Amino acid sequence: MTDNNTNPGFDTLCLHGGHVTESNRAHLTPIYASSTYEFDSAEQAAAIFRGEEKGYIYGRWGNPTIAEAEERIAMLEAFGLKDANGEQLKLKAILHASGMAAISTAFMGNVKAGEKILTHQSLYGGTHEIIEKILPDFSIGAVIVDFHDLKAVEQALQTDKTIRMMHIETPANPTLQCVDLAELIALAKAHGVVVCVDNTFATPYLQQPFAFGADYVVHSTTKFLNGHGTAIGGILVGKDIARMSTALTKTHRLLGGNSNAFDAFLLVNGLRTLSVRMDRHCANAEKVAQFLHDHPAVGVVNYLGLADHPDHAIGMKQMKHPGAMLSFELKGGFDAGVKFMNSLKICLNAVSLGTCDTLISHPASTTHMGVAREQRLKFGITDGMIRMSVGIENVEDIIGDLEQAMR
Ligand SMILES: *Cc1c(COP(=O)(O)O)cnc(C)c1O
């Protein structure tokens, strides 16, 4: 994309954002399968090492295919946003081997021993575990508060001056809980606390946390950004370019959670259709949610687009659309859940989410099998709960499959 095209739309950025024409003028940025890069001279090598000249050095530090994915996602998260001077907001992104690697860099690069992360209960399982099981060994603590309770958040920030970072996930798994980005970020900022938002469920097409003042956004690119279920990946996006280029780049390079050219290529290719895929995902999810809502075998339907979802108002305030994730409760409980999963013909029984095809899982018999029942129920994960990532198939086929599996 040429520099004089200063205001491309979101769909155009999905296709062309961050593309650099390479020397053979390949239409798509190739898979640069190279672990190292040659220098023209000792002087040039020194200049690149000093950062005075642009150039690649070593695969863990950077790669042209990876760079395209990073730049494109940075542009999508910044789309239409202004910086403090009224200019187009600029962001820097670092691609990682997984969402967890990106989250690790965000935490380890911002919080030191003796400091704490302020977060909430409804987090991705891996994020919860790293906070509970890994960070305490490095003397990094956590304060866990219900982020719907802004008074409690403020009180935590006021009383504990070792809180260095706030980590927010909205919407969150599996009940689609949402918390108020504008209010939470304002509180964090008032106390000099940096804010990281996991934007995996929404994607920048539906929600842009930087619009509310977030410092960092993380994604598992494994999900909607890749969109085809072909690669694991994660991205850390930040608005303090200087810090992203120094402290966080250093943490990323030394923890070693770098991505690779092949996965980056798959991600770049997936990003090309992000907006059209999301439009269809969202349209289908609305119809599926309505079908489930009206079905006699179904109890609660957790879909943000339904007016009876407890966080409907918060979600709609900060998102362009309620998205493509939902969960619902089969009235028949655990056995109904197992029977339902075994009867599906089109929808796939698999964990993960955000792929073109519809993925359905039964947490009680799979992902949450090891969690004590009482604790699971406390998180809203009932015996008959089914989680669904609505795909882009013909919606009649998705609904038809659900209907026959519930019979
Ligand atoms: C999947 C997921 C992650 C972890 O990403 P990986 O790519 O599996 O490491 C983090 N946050 C959310 C919300 C996720 O859905």
Side-chain angles (χ1 to χ4, degrees):
M1 203 163 61
T2 53
D3 283 348
N4 55 15
N5 189 359
T6 49
N7 255 331
F10 191 94
D11 304 349
T12 306
L13 287 179
C14 285
L15 287 156
H16 302 297
H19 181 70
V20 178
T21 305
E22 56 86 59
S23 56
N24 292 313
R25 305 193 61 80
H27 158 219
L28 297 177
T29 298
I31 300 165
Y32 281 88
S34 184
S35 57
T36 189
Y37 299 82
E38 288 180 55
F39 307 114
D40 287 341
S41 63
E43 291 77 8
Q44 192 208 27
I48 294 175
F49 263 88
R50 281 196 301 266
E52 293 161 10
E53 193 179 318
K54 270 200 176 313
Y56 292 96
I57 297 174
Y58 181 58
R60 178 159 45 76
W61 291 28
N63 168 292
T65 321
I66 288 175
E68 176 157 325
E70 292 173 334
E71 184 57 20
R72 187 165 300 172
I73 294 170
M75 290 171 105
L76 295 176
E77 283 291 351
F79 176 72
L81 306 183
K82 301 274 181 263
D83 65 15
N85 303 317
E87 306 285 329
Q88 168 62 50
L89 178 68
K90 288 236 182 325
L91 300 169
K92 183 172 164 62
I94 306 176
L95 190 66
H96 288 70
S98 65
M100 285 314 301
I103 290 168
S104 301
T105 297
F107 289 170
M108 304 291 273
N110 280 297
V111 190
K112 293 199 292 280
E115 296 179 335
K116 293 197 188 95
I117 297 170
L118 175 62
T119 191
H120 51 147
Q121 203 50 269
S122 51
L123 290 179
Y124 175 73
T127 312
H128 191 76
E129 278 193 69
I130 195 174
I131 287 172
E132 294 263 294
K133 297 180 183 163
I134 305 281
L135 297 184
D137 291 344
F138 298 87
S139 300
I140 294 171
V143 177
I144 297 179
V145 176
D146 178 358
F147 276 0
H148 284 103
D149 185 351
L150 297 173
K151 280 263 169 296
V153 174
E154 186 163 27
Q155 183 159 21
L157 288 163
Q158 255 160 12
T159 50
D160 194 336
K161 292 300 165 196
T162 64
I163 292 171
R164 172 79 192 110
M165 185 179 213
M166 176 186 273
H167 183 72
I168 309 174
E169 192 174 314
T170 180
N173 206 4
T175 52
L176 284 302
Q177 273 192 41
C178 288
V179 293
D180 194 315
L181 286 172
E183 299 274 6
L184 288 165
I185 295 171
L187 284 174
K189 295 285 118 183
H191 291 85
V193 165
V194 298
V195 181
C196 180
V197 179
D198 187 329
N199 203 27
T200 300
F201 271 39
T203 83
Y205 188 57
L206 303 183
Q207 173 173 278
Q208 291 172 282
F210 290 103
F212 306 100
D215 298 290
Y216 300 97
V217 162
V218 290
H219 282 275
S220 167
T221 62
T222 314
K223 318 292 167 53
F224 290 103
L225 295 186
N226 170 297
H228 299 73
T230 52
I232 302 286
I235 199 143
L236 169 65
V237 192
K239 73 176 173 197
D240 183 342
I241 307 275
R243 228 183 119 64
M244 283 298 289
S245 309
T246 52
L248 289 146
T249 290
K250 184 169 80 181
T251 307
H252 160 252
R253 287 177 180 178
L254 296 176
L255 287 180
N258 56 285
S259 183
N260 65 82
F262 185 61
D263 288 355
F265 174 83
L266 295 169
L267 172 57
V268 165
N269 220 18
L271 287 169
R272 290 158 68 81
T273 55
L274 176 65
S275 50
V276 288
R277 280 188 286 110
M278 290 308 291
D279 283 343
R280 175 68 84 87
H281 277 294
C282 291
N284 281 0
E286 271 182 38
K287 293 189 183 128
V288 169
Q290 198 56 54
F291 161 78
L292 291 167
H293 190 260
D294 298 340
H295 197 287
V298 175
V300 177
V301 179
N302 297 302
Y303 179 63
L304 275 177
L306 295 171
D308 59 7
H309 189 288
D311 294 328
H312 172 74
I314 296 175
M316 293 309 92
K317 185 174 111 174
Q318 58 199 20
M319 295 170 70
K320 294 194 185 76
H321 187 279
M325 295 300 300
L326 57 86
S327 61
F328 59 97
E329 153 105 70
L330 286 172
K331 284 181 184 159
F334 190 89
D335 294 340
V338 170
K339 181 182 165 287
F340 171 80
M341 295 305 292
N342 287 340
S343 310
L344 292 168
K345 294 195 164 80
I346 290 174
C347 305
L348 303 173
N349 175 1
V351 297
S352 197
L353 58 111
T355 63
C356 294
D357 28 25
T358 298
L359 302 184
I360 300 196
S361 63
H362 178 219
S365 68
T366 57
T367 50
H368 290 71
M369 199 168 77
V371 181
R373 186 164 179 271
E374 306 80 73
Q375 200 185 350
R376 161 158 82 61
L377 292 178
K378 227 172 63 194
F379 298 146
I381 305 165
T382 55
D383 297 337
M385 173 177 272
I386 303 290
R387 189 188 81 168
M388 202 171 164
S389 168
V390 180
I392 64 172
E393 298 93 342
N394 292 94
V395 72
E396 312 78 64
D397 293 335
I398 302 173
I399 290 174
D401 196 26
L402 299 177
E403 188 157 46
Q404 66 80 22
M406 282 194 281
R407 239 177 258 142

